[in-house]
Amino acid sequence: MNEDGGWGLHVEGHSTRFCTTFSYICMRILGEGLDVGRYNARTRGRKWIHDRGGVTSFPSWGKTWLAILGLFDWSGCNPMPQEFWFFPSFLPMHPGRMFYYCRMVYLPMSYLYSRRFVGPITPLILELRQELFLQPFNEINWKKVRHLCAKKDLYYPHSLIQDLMWDSLYICTEPLFTRWPFNKLRQKALEVTMKHIHYEDENTRYICIGCMEKSLCMLACWVENPNGDYFKKHLARTPDYTWIAEDGMKMLSFGSQAWDTILALQALIACNMTNEIRSKLKKGHEFIKESQENPSGDFKSMFRHISKGSWTFSDQDHGWQISDSTAEGLKCCLLLLTIPPEIVGVKMEPEQLFDAVNILLSLQCKNGGLAVWEPAGAPKWLELLNPIEFFADVVLEHEYVECTASSIQALVLFKKLYPGHRMNETVNFITNAVRFIEDVQIPDGSCPLRQKYFTKYGNWGSCFTYGAWFSLGGLASAGKNYNSCLAIRKGVEFLLKLQEDDGGWGESWLSCPKEVKSGTNCAERHPTPLHRAAKLLINSQMEDGDFPQQEVTRVFKKNNMLHYAEYRNIFPLWALAEYVRCVPLP
């Protein structure tokens, strides 16, 4: 809870209507009384909501959940027609061409919308109707609130063309689908939607892509059949999302087991202490081998990209290939190949490595960059139709500098160890990927001369520093160096200019939503800044070997910050290992 009585989208974010309202509802469901409890949270939360006009001005996702609870009317929500699935797949508006997250969240959401599902209206729901709104619930003109969203929640405003589209569907299309004979088409669309939901459930072993889709798919399965096996299987996997932290129980956005393990192993390998930590390397190696993905069913008919040989973000059950997880997983397995098997265990079969290479080659886009889950290719103007007010760039897949740089590093090492496998394709991939990284160099707004620095916006971490780290590593692995590459020189200059007086680097999470700036291969040219940085890391380590948790560092779609607990130890250890390896000591 923030000092003003509200809650934000993340632990450091400003209070929003969306998060404050659902935090308040959760407290009421859990039995929090009025004027009691820690921080008097319920009373302060309700006051925050009332002071800002109640909950009629609400983000679209929030309206959907409120409607499901019986705290909003479905007529106050914009349409979510599943009939889009009947479009020819070559059309830009087909859901199969959308960004996976947008597609998979709106899949069950559209099912619940078309069913106009509302949970039981209990005495608690009737009380919440009085507590959350400033006027009687039955007197609200729901049609007039469809486009309303509180300013504090509005990171990505709707475009005029989007509002016109919603209005057209609301006025012209939706009434038709509730009447014969068009209701027959709606029923068929519901069946197709549930087919996609069941495939997603089975292919992810009922974990689903993330917590938002998990809860919606589970609810859709319950609506379809409360006593069915689909719902029961969903219930069995809900514990996968609970996380007991030092400050209480939390819900994961989705697990990061594979990603954390892969990065941690690379940090440990860089320490050059293989004999001392052989048991940990062997166990980590075994987990990575078992986490490699192998898809099930007819994935092409479900508009899914190939995933055989990939790594997911969490584990094999997750079922969704990720390019940088695959690249870092491949790189990690290749590094483990160079260590005797009596230390790290049985090595991965070459065919499995070849499958991973195939995934990376398939994910490269025309401009040389790599998307995360599926190849980017839909027209960029579709982002104008982004319906999610607090996320950006969620309608389409986009190319990312982090994914591209990780893939370069993995394929350079693969080419060295397996020079006979798809050599020409690999070389072309690396050449095009390097060109993409150089092309996305952007001006740094903090520089008064507005020179071009290598500060590509990092989409999955905070933010310009994170993007620069990946990019410089990718270019260096491809054979570029400070003397031969202008992008590297400017990247090094950018990082050196941002070094703090204490020797460290810092960047606020605000760099991510605002897109403004609020190890490198330069040891021979600039050793002093690296000595200062290493000293800061060494001095910040605590007595038990842990490093202190500082600001949140990960981000999803520019505006949703994420906490990765292992980062505070993985990256300092990795940085110090590289420092020892690369920097001549004074």
Side-chain angles (χ1 to χ4, degrees):
M1 179 180 247
N2 291 329
E3 293 182 0
D4 62 1
W7 283 265
L9 195 58
H10 54 88
V11 67
E12 297 181 37
H14 65 271
S15 298
T16 65
R17 198 84 54 97
F18 179 85
C19 296
T20 301
T21 299
F22 283 108
S23 295
Y24 181 85
I25 292 172
C26 286
M27 286 192 296
R28 293 288 278 118
I29 292 174
L30 294 171
E32 184 78 1
L34 192 63
D35 298 324
V36 296
R38 194 176 184 185
Y39 306 125
N40 198 19
R42 178 183 159 189
T43 301
R44 294 173 61 202
R46 182 180 179 184
K47 183 179 184 303
W48 190 97
I49 294 169
H50 279 215
D51 288 347
R52 288 154 182 82
V55 299
T56 50
S57 297
F58 218 59
S60 58
W61 279 13
K63 291 174 181 175
T64 298
W65 277 112
L66 289 179
I68 290 170
L69 289 169
L71 297 173
F72 213 82
D73 194 279
W74 280 111
S75 62
C77 301
N78 281 319
M80 291 175 271
Q82 314 97 309
E83 288 74 19
F84 283 142
W85 286 102
F86 294 145
F87 285 5
S89 59
F90 62 82
L91 291 180
M93 295 291 289
H94 190 278
R97 304 193 68 181
M98 292 181 180
F99 173 51
Y100 90 100
Y101 189 80
C102 183
R103 177 170 84 237
M104 300 316 300
V105 167
Y106 278 99
L107 186 68
M109 197 177 282
S110 66
Y111 179 85
L112 297 167
Y113 170 83
S114 295
R115 293 287 299 266
R116 301 298 195 271
F117 171 76
V118 179
I121 305 302
T122 64
L124 175 59
I125 295 299
L126 294 175
E127 292 173 11
L128 284 168
R129 286 181 176 181
Q130 295 179 350
E131 296 170 12
L132 296 176
F133 295 92
L134 301 187
Q135 63 187 110
F137 185 83
N138 294 328
E139 296 180 9
I140 297 173
N141 188 337
W142 297 105
K143 295 180 180 180
K144 290 187 176 181
V145 304
R146 285 189 303 112
H147 296 316
L148 296 183
C149 182
K151 185 177 180 181
K152 287 289 186 180
D153 295 68
L154 195 60
Y155 176 69
Y156 193 94
H158 287 185
S159 62
L160 177 61
I161 188 174
Q162 182 179 164
D163 286 340
L164 290 173
M165 183 188 74
W166 297 136
D167 289 341
S168 299
L169 292 171
Y170 187 88
I171 297 170
C172 303
T173 306
E174 279 302 308
L176 289 176
F177 286 125
T178 62
R179 294 173 174 84
W180 188 89
F182 297 101
N183 58 356
K184 301 295 183 182
L185 184 63
R186 172 58 55 91
Q187 183 59 39
K188 180 64 175 177
L190 287 169
E191 295 172 3
V192 171
T193 300
M194 283 309 302
K195 180 181 178 181
H196 282 274
I197 290 173
H198 291 324
Y199 176 82
E200 167 69 3
D201 291 342
E202 292 289 341
N203 204 55
T204 63
R205 288 77 167 179
Y206 292 84
I207 294 179
C208 298
I209 196 67
C211 60
M212 183 69 172
E213 190 217 357
K214 163 69 175 178
S215 56
L216 288 166
C217 285
M218 182 165 62
L219 181 57
C221 289
W222 185 87
V223 172
E224 183 191 36
N225 184 359
N227 299 313
D229 290 340
Y230 292 120
F231 175 67
K232 294 175 183 177
K233 291 177 181 179
H234 262 296
L235 282 179
R237 298 309 300 259
T238 52
D240 289 78
Y241 281 94
T242 56
W243 172 37
I244 305 297
E246 56 268 29
D247 55 346
M249 189 178 80
K250 303 175 183 181
M251 295 298 293
L252 297 169
S253 57
F254 43 77
S256 58
Q257 301 96 306
W259 178 253
D260 288 343
T261 302
I262 289 166
L263 295 184
L265 280 176
Q266 291 187 65
L268 291 172
I269 292 170
C271 292
N272 196 25
M273 300 171 61
T274 52
N275 285 320
E276 293 89 335
I277 57 174
R278 61 169 61 201
S279 64
K280 303 302 180 184
L281 293 176
K282 184 175 293 187
K283 290 174 67 176
H285 189 194
E286 193 64 30
F287 175 78
I288 294 175
K289 288 188 294 183
E290 292 179 354
S291 298
Q292 196 175 27
E293 170 63 10
N294 195 2
S296 62
D298 185 6
F299 61 91
K300 290 185 178 179
S301 68
M302 295 291 108
F303 303 98
R304 288 280 301 269
H305 190 63
I306 59 172
S307 60
K308 183 182 179 182
S310 66
W311 275 272
T312 72
F313 205 62
S314 54
D315 56 26
Q316 189 185 61
D317 283 358
H318 190 245
W320 275 91
Q321 72 283 350
I322 293 182
S323 61
D324 51 352
S325 289
T326 301
E328 296 294 339
L330 174 62
K331 182 171 65 168
C332 190
C333 290
L334 292 171
L335 290 171
L336 290 164
L337 283 177
T338 64
I339 303 174
E342 56 268 21
I343 295 177
V344 298
V346 179
K347 298 178 181 180
M348 181 168 274
E349 294 294 328
E351 289 75 15
Q352 294 175 279
L353 301 174
F354 298 162
D355 287 339
V357 170
N358 184 57
I359 286 286
L360 295 180
L361 295 177
S362 73
L363 286 171
Q364 189 171 46
C365 304
K366 292 180 180 180
N367 60 5
L370 267 78
V372 182
W373 288 272
E374 300 165 323
K380 304 298 183 184
W381 60 263
L382 282 175
E383 285 292 354
L384 293 173
L385 305 181
N386 175 14
I388 309 172
E389 295 86 351
F390 44 76
F391 288 157
D393 296 343
V394 294
V395 177
L396 309 174
E397 266 282 19
H398 296 272
E399 302 85 0
Y400 299 101
V401 67
E402 302 100 307
C403 302
T404 307
S406 288
S407 299
I408 292 174
Q409 295 180 54
L411 289 180
V412 166
L413 182 56
F414 175 81
K415 183 166 65 73
K416 179 180 178 181
L417 297 177
Y418 292 91
H421 184 77
R422 303 180 72 170
M423 174 62 74
N424 292 337
E425 294 173 81
T426 303
V427 171
N428 290 335
F429 178 101
I430 294 170
T431 301
N432 293 330
V434 167
R435 186 178 68 250
F436 169 80
I437 292 180
E438 293 176 333
D439 289 345
V440 297
Q441 192 174 32
I442 61 176
D444 184 350
S446 64
C447 177
L449 299 178
R450 297 193 63 80
Q451 291 175 295
K452 290 192 72 177
Y453 289 98
F454 195 81
T455 59
K456 171 57 184 165
Y457 180 88
N459 284 271
W460 306 105
S462 298
C463 163
F464 294 94
T465 309
Y466 188 77
W469 170 60
F470 269 100
S471 304
L472 290 172
L475 292 175
S477 68
K480 304 286 185 178
N481 59 50
Y482 188 91
N483 295 318
S484 66
C485 180
L486 178 62
I488 287 184
R489 290 198 295 275
K490 290 191 173 182
V492 170
E493 184 180 353
F494 164 73
L495 291 175
L496 291 176
K497 283 179 177 289
L498 294 179
Q499 190 174 31
E500 304 287 349
D501 292 339
D502 61 3
W505 279 266
E507 187 170 354
S508 169
W509 66 269
L510 290 169
S511 295
C512 301
K514 294 182 177 180
E515 300 186 49
V516 175
K517 176 69 179 67
S518 337
T520 62
N521 187 24
C522 61
E524 296 180 3
R525 190 166 294 273
H526 294 290
T528 302
L530 300 181
H531 296 325
R532 293 171 58 210
K535 181 180 179 181
L536 175 70
L537 290 176
I538 293 169
N539 291 338
S540 65
Q541 190 175 33
M542 297 186 289
E543 291 184 2
D544 62 355
D546 195 7
F547 285 86
Q549 179 61 53
Q550 297 174 313
E551 289 187 7
V552 64
T553 55
R554 286 282 290 183
V555 64
F556 178 78
K557 292 304 174 183
K558 298 185 179 180
N559 195 43
N560 186 28
M561 304 307 297
L562 304 172
H563 170 56
Y564 284 63
E566 298 301 326
Y567 272 23
R568 70 174 186 259
N569 291 313
I570 291 174
F571 287 112
L573 177 64
W574 201 346
L576 288 172
E578 291 297 322
Y579 170 77
V580 171
R581 183 178 69 87
C582 298
V583 182
L585 296 179

